[in-house]
Amino acid sequence: MKKKLIKIIKEASKILVEGYYNEKEVRFKAKKDLVTKYDVAVEEFLKEKLKKEFSDFNIIAEESDNSNLKFDNSIIIDPIDGTTNFVNKVPHTAISVGVYKNKKPYMGVVYNPILDELYYAKVNKGAYLNKKKIEVSKEKNFQKALISTGFPYSCGTCSDDLNAVIKQMKNILPNCQDIRRLGSASLDLCYVAKGTYEGYYEMNLKAWDVSAGIIILSEAGGKVTNEKGKKYKLFNDKYIVATNSKIHKKLLSHL
């Protein structure tokens, strides 16, 4: 399954790359939530190919109507994670595909074709970046930790979410090395997996934003929970907190 899945994702990435370097028509799903014809084209390509190769799985995808689909044996797709980056030619954008069997993690692939970074993991087989095994940072000191986050689309319309983001920033920033905000949850999780960041947190993400990244991070030795320190549940939890495991309690305490 691994080779076929990666092959399909790399084929789909040609559409992303074409769009990245061309002019794009943008429409808004919400005040800050963008979508382009390339998001739809990548998704349709992936769905068509994956249905043929992996007929035992249903496909849950960002730009599709998923209302009649049950999360069980599922392939969860974000065709372009980091669409705002994609539109503005910021090279922090990726295709994210998470595979779940009986609602349990099985395999994750995150591919940034602009930087040619292919992150991959299969449960109990480790995590890899371009065929090289990756592991989380060994840093235990929160003051030395580089933390990543994201700002939810709801910040433009929901004052409670905006206030929460600012409050958390004020709690965390003085106590860590610094905070980064690069705009792609799947890649942020992979950056924790390869040891670039010690931790990452964000609110209001969708399952397709994180389905692959949490598998990759877990296989790299990381830890993923909700803001209460409980096991993170796709489709349910408002917050995701992901770390190298060593600074996890400290990050939770600042949230």
Side-chain angles (χ1 to χ4, degrees):
M1 186 177 188
K2 167 194 168 183
K3 289 182 179 179
K4 287 182 179 179
L5 184 61
I6 289 174
K7 183 174 183 289
I8 291 169
I9 291 169
K10 285 201 166 186
E11 287 174 357
S13 74
K14 295 175 184 176
I15 302 170
L16 188 157
V17 172
E18 177 191 340
Y20 183 86
Y21 292 106
N22 285 322
E23 293 298 317
K24 293 169 277 290
E25 290 185 11
V26 177
R27 62 183 174 87
F28 287 79
K29 294 186 285 185
K31 185 176 180 180
K32 291 176 175 287
D33 196 358
L34 313 179
V35 64
T36 71
K37 69 177 184 180
Y38 295 102
D39 296 79
V40 177
V42 172
E43 181 164 303
E44 289 303 315
F45 181 93
L46 287 170
K47 286 173 68 176
E48 180 184 351
K49 296 287 186 179
L50 292 171
K51 281 177 181 176
K52 288 180 181 177
E53 291 288 348
F54 310 112
S55 57
D56 292 341
F57 292 82
N58 66 21
I59 298 175
I60 299 172
E62 179 175 13
E63 308 304 337
S64 299
D65 179 3
N66 303 300
S67 57
N68 294 321
L69 295 176
K70 182 181 179 182
F71 175 45
D72 191 5
N73 291 327
S74 301
I75 298 176
I76 305 174
I77 297 170
D78 193 337
I80 302 181
D81 184 39
T83 300
T84 301
N85 287 344
F86 170 77
V87 167
N88 291 282
K89 294 184 181 178
V90 178
H92 200 67
T93 185
I95 296 172
S96 172
V97 179
V99 182
Y100 287 72
K101 288 186 174 181
N102 299 317
K103 299 183 181 180
K104 295 180 180 178
Y106 179 65
M107 190 181 305
V109 179
V110 174
Y111 182 45
N112 178 350
I114 308 304
L115 300 180
D116 193 25
E117 293 178 345
L118 177 69
Y119 298 89
Y120 164 80
K122 184 177 178 181
V123 170
N124 298 323
K125 297 293 184 180
Y128 296 84
L129 166 57
N130 295 341
K131 299 182 179 181
K132 183 178 179 181
K133 194 168 186 179
I134 55 175
E135 293 181 349
V136 294
S137 161
K138 294 179 172 59
E139 183 59 63
K140 298 178 181 179
N141 186 343
F142 194 79
Q143 189 65 64
K144 295 180 180 178
L146 184 60
I147 305 298
S148 176
T149 190
F151 304 146
Y153 294 130
S154 56
C155 278
T157 54
C158 177
S159 59
D160 287 346
D161 286 350
L162 177 59
N163 290 336
V165 166
I166 300 304
K167 181 180 178 181
Q168 289 160 355
M169 194 76 71
K170 289 178 71 175
N171 289 343
I172 294 168
L173 185 55
N175 294 296
C176 70
Q177 184 185 52
D178 210 339
I179 293 178
R180 295 289 179 266
R181 197 282 185 195
L182 294 180
S184 169
S186 64
L187 287 171
D188 286 335
L189 289 163
C190 290
Y191 276 39
V192 180
K194 70 176 179 179
T196 298
Y197 302 144
E198 275 68 44
Y200 163 71
Y201 70 94
E202 191 167 346
M203 69 160 74
N204 293 354
L205 291 170
K206 304 295 186 182
W208 40 78
D209 297 315
V210 300
S211 66
I214 58 179
I215 297 172
I216 294 165
L217 175 55
S218 296
E219 285 298 308
K223 184 172 184 176
V224 183
T225 71
N226 61 20
E227 80 282 12
K228 297 175 182 176
K230 303 294 184 182
K231 183 178 179 181
Y232 179 77
K233 294 181 180 179
L234 281 176
F235 301 99
N236 289 305
D237 282 322
K238 182 179 177 70
Y239 279 91
I240 187 169
V241 182
T243 72
N244 64 354
S245 79
K246 297 170 179 62
I247 58 114
H248 203 88
K249 288 184 179 179
K250 200 72 174 179
L251 179 54
L252 287 173
S253 72
H254 290 301
L255 291 173

